[in-house]
Amino acid sequence: MPFDIARTRAAYPALAEGFAHFDGAGGTQTARPVIEAVSAAMTAATGNRSTAFVPGRRSLDLVAAARAAVADLLGAEPGGVVLGPSATALTYTLARTLGAGWGPGDEVVVSRLDHDANVRPWVQAAEAAGATVRWAEFDPATGELPAGQYADLVTERTRLVAVTAGSNAIGTAPDVATIAKTAHAAGALVCVDGVHAVPHGPTDLASLGADFLVTSAYKWSGPHLAAMAAEPARWASLRPAKLLPSSDAVPDRFEYGTPSFPLLAGVAAAVDHLATLDPTATGSRRDRVRAGLAAAQAHEEAVFERLLAGLTARPFVTVYGSPARRCPTVSFRVAGSAPAETAATLGAAGVCLSSGDYYAYEYFRTMGLRDSGGAVRASVYHYSTVEEVDRLLAELDRVAATGERMAR
Ligand SMILES: Cc1ncc(COP(=O)(O)O)c(C=O)c1O
């Protein structure tokens, strides 16, 4: 059955404003069921977690429901889902916790393709422990992160390999499973940044080979919250810094302070929403989420193909990277127009794209593009349309024409 784009778009009230959204990589629009779930949770009587009274029990239920939903999204166990305010905060917590057990001679491997949220926490934890940081390099021409290099990078001293499942800058989807195999053969743990990849297709913790997998709900139609999944036994083996009276249970042990219960309702609703993207899907929520994201992926790939073809056909556009396996995200520059200027001109026409380095700090630094403004990024999501792509390309033609006039 073809993807029902009209039905899909109708679930996003914000789309009625008429912007063309190409910044899903920075955060998607919110699906109506999410808005309704958050509102319902805020309308109902609330209380901090307690078994003593109904509002307190509701908060306990909201936490449990969010864990179960994320578990279905990632192929994890609900008891292995740590909830938190952002992927960055969760990764810092993990890095500080693991890093407390490292010392001189230990090694961690990070990549220059990753968002800084899966780089700096590890680099800083390694520095604090006197451990050594080793860098995986991407191919500047293709934007690929060759998995083969990990055979040299990983040694018996490697404690942790941090790698992205999808680059938020140029879309590259590295061969994480092979990288994880190499890491595991040496006894190292693997932390996978799924923030960019998870919204764009079915994800499975075990097939990725991830010991830890992080995702942010605001990249998949939900609220600004995040989650990190691992085997419950893995979490149980770790002792994070924590308050004395807070729960020592797993996974609660890794969660700081009182969570936003209404937003957790939104996390569960977002996963439920993803499970409706293929209306023909049946079975468990996990089955339906996988089917929904597979249907969305096929649609996104078709829209992205048109975008990429349009960009590469324009001589005044420079596209960075050409990875074979990728998420529907691309960075580029327009000749004669600084990235911030391009984004502002498109923004004035209601076409929303980011510019800069989007925290893919090492990528843009290595490419020598960071100091001159990075690039412009277009990211396709399941509510994107080919008409919006054509609108973006037409606006780019206008940007280029203005640039040419200015140069004359
Ligand atoms: C690939 C990737 N990793 C990590 C992050 C950080 O996520 P958060 O904002 O939840 O900390 C982002 C945010 O854009 C991202 O794109």
Side-chain angles (χ1 to χ4, degrees), residues 17-98:
E17 286 190 55
F19 296 108
H21 294 284
F22 287 100
D23 195 29
T28 59
Q29 303 307 303
T30 310
R32 182 179 285 105
V34 174
I35 300 163
E36 289 172 354
V38 173
S39 170
M42 289 187 125
T43 306
T46 59
N48 208 334
R49 281 171 286 194
S50 169
T51 51
F53 47 93
V54 169
R57 286 202 289 278
R58 281 186 190 144
S59 293
L60 284 167
D61 290 346
L62 290 174
V63 174
R67 292 200 208 288
V70 173
D72 281 348
L73 178 67
L74 303 180
E77 285 181 47
V81 174
V82 172
L83 302 163
S86 66
T88 305
L90 289 166
T91 307
Y92 260 117
T93 300
L94 181 65
R96 288 195 193 106
T97 305
L98 290 177

Side-chain angles (χ1 to χ4, degrees), residues 15-376:
L15 296 183
E17 286 190 55
F19 296 108
H21 294 284
F22 287 100
D23 195 29
T28 59
Q29 303 307 303
T30 310
R32 182 179 285 105
V34 174
I35 300 163
E36 289 172 354
V38 173
S39 170
M42 289 187 125
T43 306
T46 59
N48 208 334
R49 281 171 286 194
S50 169
T51 51
F53 47 93
V54 169
R57 286 202 289 278
R58 281 186 190 144
S59 293
L60 284 167
D61 290 346
L62 290 174
V63 174
R67 292 200 208 288
V70 173
D72 281 348
L73 178 67
L74 303 180
E77 285 181 47
V81 174
V82 172
L83 302 163
S86 66
T88 305
L90 289 166
T91 307
Y92 260 117
T93 300
L94 181 65
R96 288 195 193 106
T97 305
L98 290 177
W102 301 340
D106 286 337
E107 296 176 0
V108 302
V109 181
V110 292
S111 100
R112 294 201 201 277
L113 186 67
D114 271 73
H115 185 288
D116 215 48
N118 200 31
V119 175
R120 222 53 56 187
W122 302 112
V123 169
Q124 291 164 2
E127 277 167 6
T132 302
V133 177
R134 307 190 75 187
W135 291 89
E137 307 286 348
F138 60 86
D139 177 336
T142 62
E144 303 276 5
L145 185 73
Q149 68 185 305
Y150 284 82
D152 295 326
L153 287 169
V154 172
T155 73
E156 74 283 356
R157 301 309 311 262
T158 308
R159 307 296 301 274
L160 186 282
V161 174
V163 68
T164 188
S167 157
N168 69 312
I170 55 167
T172 312
D175 183 356
V176 171
T178 297
I179 294 168
K181 243 182 230 151
T182 306
H184 289 154
L189 294 172
V190 178
C191 179
V192 177
D193 179 350
V195 174
H196 190 63
V198 166
H200 298 297
T203 299
D204 190 51
L205 183 70
S207 1
L208 275 174
D211 295 295
F212 303 93
L213 174 63
V214 70
T215 184
S216 292
Y218 71 98
K219 312 285 192 183
W220 33 267
S221 315
H224 287 83
L225 284 184
M228 187 179 271
E231 294 280 336
R234 175 72 61 199
W235 289 126
S237 71
L238 302 176
R239 316 278 341 163
K242 65 176 280 299
L243 303 183
L244 289 182
S246 67
S247 171
D248 197 36
V250 165
D252 312 54
R253 189 190 290 175
F254 298 87
E255 295 169 349
Y256 292 134
T258 310
S260 167
F261 300 117
L263 293 189
L264 289 177
V267 169
V271 175
D272 283 335
H273 171 67
L274 298 176
T276 68
L277 289 175
D278 176 357
T280 67
T282 54
S284 67
R285 179 170 58 184
R286 169 91 181 128
D287 294 340
R288 286 177 288 112
V289 166
R290 287 182 65 82
L293 285 170
Q297 186 171 32
H299 169 76
E300 289 175 9
E301 277 171 5
V303 175
F304 185 70
E305 208 174 296
R306 187 176 181 108
L307 171 61
L308 201 54
L311 290 175
T312 46
R314 284 167 166 73
F316 56 84
V317 171
T318 304
V319 170
Y320 297 104
S322 55
R325 253 174 35 128
R326 73 189 302 170
C327 300
T329 296
V330 59
S331 276
F332 61 94
R333 279 191 184 192
V334 175
S337 170
E341 199 186 328
T342 308
T345 308
L346 294 171
V351 179
C352 308
L353 286 83
S354 276
S355 70
D357 69 9
Y358 356 104
Y359 287 21
Y361 177 89
E362 294 291 340
Y363 175 80
F364 282 103
R365 207 182 53 77
T366 308
M367 292 293 287
L369 295 170
R370 198 175 171 274
D371 292 343
S372 53
V376 186

